[in-house]
Amino acid sequence: MNTSLSFFKKNRRASIALVVIAALILFTAALAADGILDPAFGMNGIIIADLGTSSDSGIGVALQPDGKIVMLGSAQGTPVLLRYNSNGGVDNAFGTNGKLTVNFGASVVVQPDGKLLVAGSPNGNLTVARYNKNGAGLDNTFGSAGIANFPAHPGWDRYSFSDLALQPDGKIVLVGTQYNQGNFINLVV
């Protein structure tokens, strides 16, 4: 039990650090090894992504095996994935001009083959979608048409997603909270 908690605490810190580094999509910066902005990344170490709305926000960030940077953000409540080259330039080969609108999103993780897992809790369920690494939409070989859905347990109100991780063997771990008439029960799937 302590080993599992330690694993999640370590990964939770890494996830939080990555989200902060993603700097919330509107103001993304890359730091060199010495903690100084990397002037070779974006424009003097910073990327400013305009998703076209007045309330854009960043949610998460992940690195693909080829060094590309994938960010999960929100444009006026609509979740999107953005992909950048390792130098901070938009990767126009991903989705449409570097952007892919997704069904939901609270966390993003990259599998070893580069495919993207996006998780969240739409409609009170724990849900994971897998997208092709090039942003060409859902990977239909995963779950049902690219989405694995874990509905709330009968008699319980809903699930609320918290975090997503991959085990070394590739298994997917979701963490969330189950709600029932005002009671909160933490769970791991």
Side-chain angles (χ1 to χ4, degrees):
M1 182 74 173
N2 288 341
T3 304
S4 296
L5 289 174
S6 174
F7 172 80
F8 285 111
K9 285 181 182 177
K10 287 179 185 175
N11 286 326
R12 182 77 171 164
R13 284 187 205 120
S15 297
I16 291 169
L18 288 175
V19 169
V20 170
I21 290 171
L24 312 151
I25 264 170
L26 293 176
F27 181 73
T28 303
L31 300 177
D34 59 4
I36 308 273
L37 283 176
D38 180 356
F41 180 81
M43 181 181 281
N44 296 318
I46 298 172
I47 297 172
I48 297 175
D50 183 0
L51 300 178
T53 71
S54 61
S55 57
D56 301 342
S57 62
I59 299 168
V61 64
L63 299 176
Q64 289 184 300
D66 60 2
K68 304 232 177 174
I69 303 161
V70 177
M71 289 192 221
L72 174 63
S74 175
Q76 199 98 10
T78 301
V80 295
L81 289 173
L82 302 160
R83 188 165 80 178
Y84 295 91
N85 296 309
S86 60
N87 67 359
V90 173
D91 180 5
N92 288 315
F94 181 81
T96 303
N97 298 320
K99 177 178 153 184
L100 174 67
T101 300
V102 297
N103 301 333
F104 54 86
S107 184
V108 61
V109 169
V110 177
Q111 293 183 300
D113 63 0
K115 291 186 179 182
L116 307 167
L117 295 175
V118 176
S121 50
N123 303 316
N125 300 320
L126 290 179
T127 307
V128 179
R130 184 164 73 185
Y131 293 89
N132 293 303
K133 64 183 174 183
N134 64 357
L138 287 166
D139 173 9
N140 290 322
T141 66
F142 179 80
S144 176
I147 298 175
N149 188 42
F150 306 95
H153 188 273
W156 292 84
D157 297 339
R158 69 189 184 285
Y159 289 139
S160 176
F161 172 81
S162 298
D163 206 359
L164 168 69
L166 279 180
Q167 291 181 334
D169 63 1
K171 291 180 182 172
I172 301 165
V173 179
L174 300 175
V175 178
T177 303
Q178 187 174 28
Y179 294 89
N180 181 25
Q181 301 174 1
N183 296 316
F184 308 103
I185 300 172
N186 291 323
L187 63 106
V188 175
V189 174

